Amino acid sequence: MKRSVRFPVSATLLRRLALASIIANVAIVVTGGAVRLTASGLGCPTWPRCTDASYTTTQEMGVHGVIEFGNRLLTFAVGLIALAVVVGVLLHGARRRELLPLAVAVLFGIPLQAVIGGITVLTNLNPWVVGLHFLASMVVIAAAYALWRRVGEPDGPATPTVPGPLRTLALVTTVVSAAVLVIGTWVTGSGPHAGDHGAARNGLDPEVISQVHADGVFLLVGLSVALVFAFRAVGARRAERAAVVLVAVELGQGVIGFVQYFTHLPAVLVGAHMLGSCLVLLATLAVQWSTRERRPVQADRAAATPPAEVPVPVGA
C-alpha cells in the first residue's frame, strides 16, 4: 500500500508568501500610477488584447505601449503569488478552513481588479472607473493584510485589548480613512493626470474637491492623535505604538499632498502620494488589528482548569 506524499507548509513560509502578496499588490498600484502619470493609459488602446490584432505591444506603439503592457504583465505575477498563497494554505493543514476564504478572496480579487482596469481602457479612461480601479486594489490589499496578520496569530478566539468605546473610535478612524481614499480618487479625477491627453475629467472643481479632501485628512489626523492618547491612558501599549505609526504615516502623506498641490502636481510626487495612500491604509488596518488579540486555545484551557486538589493525609 503506497503512502500519500505530503508537503506541509510551515506558518513561517505561509506568512512570507502572504507578505509577498501585500508587497506585490502595493507595487501594482504604484506601477498603475506610473501608467497614468506617463499618459500611457491608452498605450494599449483595447482590452483584453493590446491591439485589435495582437495581445502584446507592437513597435509602432512606442514607449507608452511598453509601459501599459508591462503593467498588464505584472498582474499575472501578482496573480501567481496569490495562487501560491492559496496552495500554501491548502498544504498548511489544520487552519485551512479559517485562512482559505481570505486567500481565495485575494486570488479572485486580482482578476476582478484587472477586469475593471480593462473597462477603464474600453471607456477611454473614464475618471470614475479609474477611481474604482484604484479602490478595488485597496480592497485586495486589505484582504491580503488580513491574511498576513491572521497567519501570524494563534488559532484561539479574538479578545479585546482596549475598552469598547476605544474600539468604536478605532473603527470610526478606519471609516474616515476609507472615505479619505475615496475622496482622493475624486481629486485625481479632477486633476491634470488623466492617463491620456484626450481623456475626460470628472467635472469637479479641483480647488473645491481638494479642500474637501484636505478637511477629511485633518479629521483623520485628529482622530488618530486622539487614539494615541486614549490608548496610552488605558495602558494599551501595542495599540498606542500602532496609532503613533499611523499618525507618522499620515503626516508624511499630508506633506507630500500639500507640496504636490502647491507645485502643480509633478508626476513624481503624485506617484509618491499613491504609495503613501497604500501605507496609510496598511497603518490604519494595523491600528484596527491592535485592538484585539488571539491566544492559543490550549493556554486558555489550561488557565481555566482549576488545580488538582492535593489529598491531605489522615491524621495530619
Side-chain angles (χ1 to χ4, degrees), residues 18-112:
L19 179 60
S21 183
I22 296 173
I23 295 172
N25 279 284
V26 171
I28 202 167
V29 170
V30 176
T31 58
V35 171
R36 182 171 57 84
L37 294 169
T38 57
S40 302
L42 295 178
C44 288
T46 189
W47 187 88
R49 296 187 178 189
C50 193
T51 69
D52 291 334
S54 174
Y55 282 97
T56 63
T57 184
T58 62
Q59 185 175 359
E60 292 77 10
M61 300 168 69
V63 66
H64 294 306
V66 172
I67 294 174
E68 164 64 6
F69 182 70
N71 188 62
R72 293 188 183 188
L73 286 180
L74 184 59
T75 301
F76 289 98
V78 177
L80 287 175
I81 294 174
L83 178 61
V85 173
V86 171
V87 173
V89 169
L90 291 173
L91 296 177
H92 185 53
R95 297 178 63 193
R96 70 173 65 177
R97 291 184 180 180
E98 178 187 358
L99 301 175
L100 190 59
L102 283 172
V104 171
V106 175
L107 177 61
F108 282 93
I110 292 169
L112 176 61

Side-chain angles (χ1 to χ4, degrees), residues 156-181:
T159 57
T161 59
V162 298
L166 296 190
R167 296 199 304 274
T168 301
L169 181 59
L171 179 60
V172 170
T173 304
T174 301
V175 172
V176 172
S177 180
V180 168
L181 286 175

Side-chain angles (χ1 to χ4, degrees), residues 109-136:
I110 292 169
L112 176 61
Q113 188 258 13
V115 169
I116 298 174
I119 295 173
T120 66
V121 174
L122 297 177
T123 57
N124 293 320
L125 306 182
N126 180 288
W128 300 107
V129 182
V130 171
L132 180 61
H133 185 46
F134 172 80
L135 294 175

